[in-house]
Amino acid sequence: MSTEGTAATQRPRAYGYCSWHQGYAWGTRLVQLTDQGSGPGDPGRFACPSCRVAYDLVPLADQS
């Protein structure tokens, strides 16, 4: 059975920590990289869909 073309494969969702409202949410995406000197294991800041809209944040993967 093929799942190609389903909504699940077209819109991956991640459950993670939103750095803006400081809580966990579905649909978080990486919007800002942190400086290399900020310590190990800190890839950047993630934002949920509602915070991305409220603060006009663009995910790194969608930036040109």
Side-chain angles (χ1 to χ4, degrees):
M1 177 160 75
S2 174
T3 58
E4 196 170 326
T6 64
T9 59
Q10 293 175 3
R11 291 188 169 201
R13 293 178 26 161
Y15 185 76
Y17 186 78
C18 175
S19 298
W20 272 258
H21 79 262
Q22 299 179 350
Y24 288 93
W26 281 104
T28 58
R29 301 218 17 223
L30 181 64
V31 295
Q32 185 179 65
L33 291 174
T34 56
D35 293 332
Q36 293 293 337
S38 63
D42 187 12
R45 297 176 72 190
F46 291 79
C48 68
S50 60
C51 286
R52 288 195 311 266
V53 170
Y55 297 103
D56 197 25
L57 302 168
V58 179
L60 289 181
D62 297 343
Q63 294 178 10
S64 53

